[in-house]
Amino acid sequence: MKIILASYIVLMMGMSGFSQNTKLEESKKRGSEIYADFCINCHMPNGEGVKGEFPPLAKSDFLIKNRTKSIKALKYGLKGEIIVNGVKYNGFMAPLGLSEDEVADVMNYITNSWGNKNKKMITEQEVAKVAKK
Amino acid sequence: MNRINLLFIAIFSSLIACAQQIESSVKAKDATSVTYTVEDVVTELNIPWGMVFLPEGGMLITEKSGEIIHFKDGVKTEIQGVPEVYVRGQGGLLDLELHPDYKNNGWIYFTFASSKGKGDGGFTAIMRAKLDGASLAQNELLYKGGPNTKKGQHFGGRIEFDNDGYLYFSIGDRGNRDENPQDITRDGGKIYRLHADGRIPVDNPFVGKTGAKSAVYSYGHRNPQGLVKHYKTGEIWEHEHGPKGGDEINIIQKGKNFGWPVISYGVNYDGTSLTDKTSNSGMEQPFFYWVPSIAPSGMTFVTSDIYPDWKGNLLVGSLKFKYIERLVIEGNKVVKREIILKDLGRVRNVRQGPDGYIYAAIEGEGIVKIIPNK
C-alpha cells in the first residue's frame, strides 16, 4: 500500500496538477473537521441524511448539479421545498455562520466524499462571489 | 493486512457499541385518540428559540438569527438594541425569560452566543434588560463563559428562576467534552446559578474553591436545552441532548456531577463507543434517559385545568421526531410516553401560557396553541 501511495505521489509530482491537488487534499481535510462539527448531526456520518427529513449529500443529484445553489445554502441557509434523488424535502437549514474559506473547505469535502467526485476545486473566491439573491 | 485488520476491529467494536445501548425503559406511543385541535398563533418564524408571555398581553420571541420579536394582536415588531450575537452552528440568540416579579421591575433575561472577550469564536452569555418602547434599555451582561471557541456545538442556553428568585441557566460543553464538563475551573457543560442581578450567591457549591467558576451549580452536562421549575417541589428539572442516544432528564442538585462524558447511555454519532460506563460513584443517574435520542428542546409541566388528562405531566419538544412527548410521571419515574402534535415540524420550545393553554414553537412554522376538544 505504501509503495503504491509513494509511486502515486511521485507520479502526481511529475504532473503540473500537483499543487492544485495538495491544496484540494488540505481543503478536504479542513472540510472534514467542519463537517464533523456543523453538519454531521443532520446529514449523518456518511452523508446519508435521513430520508424525508434531511437530504443526503452522498451521491446527491442536488449537490452535484447545483454547485452555486449549494454554496448559497451553506452561506445563507436554505428554506423551502427541494427534491433530492427523487425525494421531497421541505425543511429549513439555518445559516451556519461559516467564513468563506470554511464554506469552500466543506464544499470540497462533501463533493469529494462518499462516492461524490468534483473535478473543479471550490475556492474562497468562488464562494465570495455567491450572492444572497 | 494491518489496515484490513484495523477495519475489522473498527466494524466489530462499533457493532458491539451499538448492541450495548440499552433502550429507554418506556417507549413512546401514538395517542390512541386525538383530543385536541391546533391553532396558529404566530406564523412565519424560522427558529423560535425562546418565548415568554407578557403580563400586559402579547409575547416576546427570540429568533436564533439574532432578533427579538414583540408580538401582540397579530402585529410583529422587531425590538431594537439587541446586543451583537455570534451566529454560528448551533449558536445564536437563545432563550428568553421574565423576572418572576417582571410586573414591577421589568427585567427581561436572555441568553445568546457572544464573541466578546478573549479569543476567536464565541461562548454563551446571559444578559438582562428592560423594554423601553420597542427597544431594549439598561442592558446588563450578567455572565459570559469563555474562552471563546469556533466550535459550532452545544451552547445550552435555557433560563429558569426558582421559588427563591435564583436565576439558573445552562451552557453546553461547547464541543469540548474532554476538557469542559468535568472541570469546575472551566466554563461549559454546566448549570449556573446567580442572583437575579448577576451576583454570585455566597452559598454556591464551588465558592472559595481555588480556580473554580463560582457561578457553577452543577456539572457534567452535555447540552441542556430544557430547564423548568417543578410545579410542586420547586426543584429545577433539566433535560439535555445526548450524543447518539442518551438524552437525559435530570433533577438538578447543588454541586452534583451528572457524569458527561464519563458515563452516558449514548454512543458517538458514528456508532462507536464513547464510554463503557453508564454509572460511576460520585456521578448522578438521570431521572430518565432516551435511547434512541429524541433531541429534546424546551419543556413544561402541565398545571392548568384546561387539559384534565394531562395535568401534572411533563411535555418535552422533540427536534428530531417533530413532536411533543407527554411524559406521565408517577412516584419517581416515567410510566408512560405519548406522542402529541405529530408532524407539525421540529419542536424547539413548549410552554404553558398564563391563560393555561399549551403553546409550542415550531421551526420553519411559528407558534401554535393546543386547544382541547370540548
Side-chain angles (χ1 to χ4, degrees):
Chain A
M1 203 52 204
K2 266 184 189 162
I3 294 165
I4 300 170
L5 199 68
S7 40
Y8 179 68
I9 290 168
V10 170
L11 185 73
M12 291 312 293
M13 282 172 86
M15 293 162 74
S16 56
F18 174 66
S19 111
Q20 173 80 18
N21 201 56
T22 359
K23 271 190 189 158
L24 178 63
E25 288 309 312
E26 283 167 1
S27 173
K28 275 163 60 182
K29 190 167 175 288
R30 291 189 302 267
S32 75
E33 283 158 21
I34 291 165
Y35 188 83
D37 195 344
F38 291 84
C39 321
I40 204 167
N41 278 12
C42 300
H43 292 292
M44 300 286 126
N46 295 309
E48 66 269 35
V50 178
K51 203 169 181 180
E53 295 285 323
F54 306 115
L57 304 172
K59 295 179 180 154
S60 155
D61 57 354
F62 183 92
L63 177 66
I64 301 303
K65 287 181 201 156
N66 299 284
R67 177 176 171 121
T68 308
K69 237 186 192 169
S70 300
I71 294 172
K72 196 168 142 187
L74 277 164
K75 275 181 90 170
Y76 306 108
L78 183 65
K79 195 175 181 176
E81 192 181 293
I82 57 167
I83 292 168
V84 183
N85 297 347
V87 180
K88 245 186 228 173
Y89 294 88
N90 198 353
F92 170 63
M93 182 167 100
L96 295 156
L98 296 172
S99 56
E100 283 164 354
D101 58 321
E102 290 174 320
V103 170
D105 290 339
V106 80
M107 274 298 287
N108 283 323
Y109 175 67
I110 63 176
T111 57
N112 287 294
S113 297
W114 321 300
N116 296 342
K117 272 221 159 60
N118 170 25
K119 280 180 197 155
K120 199 176 150 231
M121 184 174 163
I122 291 146
T123 61
E124 190 179 341
Q125 290 72 22
E126 181 179 348
V127 174
K129 279 183 200 148
V130 178
K132 195 167 184 175
K133 285 193 177 160
Chain B
M1 253 333 256
N2 274 344
R3 221 172 248 203
I4 290 166
N5 281 341
L6 276 175
L7 187 68
F8 273 117
I9 290 164
I11 292 170
F12 191 56
S13 45
S14 69
L15 285 174
I16 289 174
C18 292
Q20 267 180 349
Q21 273 200 294
I22 314 154
E23 284 210 10
S24 301
S25 53
V26 181
K27 313 251 176 301
K29 292 201 174 105
D30 282 314
T32 43
S33 62
V34 174
T35 54
Y36 55 84
T37 52
V38 176
E39 185 186 288
D40 284 339
V41 179
V42 188
T43 56
E44 290 176 46
L45 297 172
N46 287 323
I47 302 184
W49 222 99
M51 59 175 169
V52 290
F53 303 89
L54 296 167
E56 64 267 29
M59 316 172 66
L60 290 174
I61 304 150
T62 50
E63 276 276 12
K64 179 180 167 288
S65 50
E67 297 91 49
I68 297 180
I69 296 160
H70 178 264
F71 178 84
K72 197 180 180 185
D73 303 327
V75 181
K76 278 186 208 160
T77 311
E78 192 181 333
I79 299 296
Q80 303 301 308
V82 178
E84 196 180 317
V85 173
Y86 179 68
V87 180
R88 182 169 159 102
Q90 297 164 7
L93 184 53
L94 305 171
D95 203 17
L96 197 63
E97 192 53 87
L98 300 180
H99 188 283
D101 194 27
Y102 171 80
K103 230 177 174 170
N104 291 311
N105 64 26
W107 285 116
I108 297 160
Y109 293 75
F110 54 95
T111 44
F112 58 107
S114 163
S115 59
K116 251 196 161 170
K118 274 184 202 158
D120 272 354
F123 222 97
T124 311
I126 184 164
M127 186 176 261
R128 71 171 181 174
K130 294 184 181 185
L131 266 186
D132 180 8
S135 184
L136 293 181
Q138 301 178 50
N139 297 20
E140 291 177 8
L141 183 67
L142 303 181
Y143 193 87
K144 179 181 171 292
N148 288 337
T149 162
K150 289 178 86 176
K151 284 278 181 178
Q153 308 106 322
H154 308 166
F155 291 81
R158 285 285 172 212
I159 309 170
E160 181 62 310
F161 283 91
D162 73 4
N163 286 333
D164 298 321
Y166 287 113
L167 165 67
Y168 296 80
F169 63 97
S170 62
I171 303 185
D173 69 15
R174 293 296 288 108
N176 187 357
R177 71 181 187 204
D178 295 330
E179 288 188 282
N180 289 343
Q182 288 296 319
D183 187 345
I184 55 161
T185 70
R186 293 180 66 93
D187 280 311
K190 313 285 175 354
I191 303 293
Y192 295 77
R193 184 178 78 156
L194 300 175
H195 286 295
D197 61 2
R199 281 177 303 122
I200 291 168
V202 289
D203 62 339
N204 260 11
F206 304 113
V207 167
K209 287 222 165 139
T210 314
K213 301 280 176 188
S214 50
V216 170
Y217 193 72
S218 67
Y219 64 110
H221 299 286
R222 187 173 178 274
N223 189 24
Q225 293 189 339
L227 216 52
V228 70
K229 183 180 75 181
H230 190 278
Y231 63 105
K232 269 188 189 159
T233 65
E235 291 164 314
I236 299 297
W237 285 46
E238 173 254 26
H239 66 53
E240 61 186 66
H241 295 273
K244 188 174 182 178
D247 301 345
E248 297 179 352
I249 297 176
N250 296 300
I251 302 170
I252 296 307
Q253 297 170 75
K254 185 174 175 175
K256 292 285 169 73
N257 179 356
F258 286 84
W260 174 256
V262 181
I263 59 172
S264 174
Y265 288 89
V267 296
N268 289 317
Y269 284 127
D270 60 6
T272 57
S273 175
L274 70 95
T275 172
D276 54 2
K277 284 187 185 159
T278 54
S279 65
N280 204 22
S281 68
M283 295 183 187
E284 302 306 305
Q285 280 295 301
F287 177 82
F288 180 75
Y289 71 85
W290 283 278
V291 173
S293 289
I294 67 162
S297 188
M299 68 171 154
T300 195
F301 284 103
V302 184
T303 60
S304 80
D305 295 321
I306 293 172
Y307 313 88
D309 297 344
W310 295 358
K311 207 166 175 180
N313 296 168
L314 183 65
L315 302 183
V316 177
S318 167
L319 292 165
K320 184 175 170 195
F321 293 124
K322 303 182 169 178
Y323 60 55
I324 291 176
E325 257 193 45
R326 176 167 79 88
L327 296 113
V328 181
I329 293 159
E330 278 173 17
N332 62 348
K333 62 177 199 242
V334 171
V335 295
K336 184 182 173 182
R337 293 166 61 197
E338 187 180 86
I339 293 165
I340 56 176
L341 220 71
K342 205 176 177 181
D343 292 331
L344 285 189
R346 286 160 59 82
V347 180
R348 179 53 76 176
N349 202 359
V350 54
R351 293 196 80 153
Q352 182 176 296
D355 57 3
Y357 282 96
I358 297 298
Y359 292 80
I362 296 164
E363 293 192 3
E365 298 290 332
I367 292 165
V368 298
K369 181 175 172 180
I370 303 179
I371 301 165
N373 298 335
K374 287 258 160 77

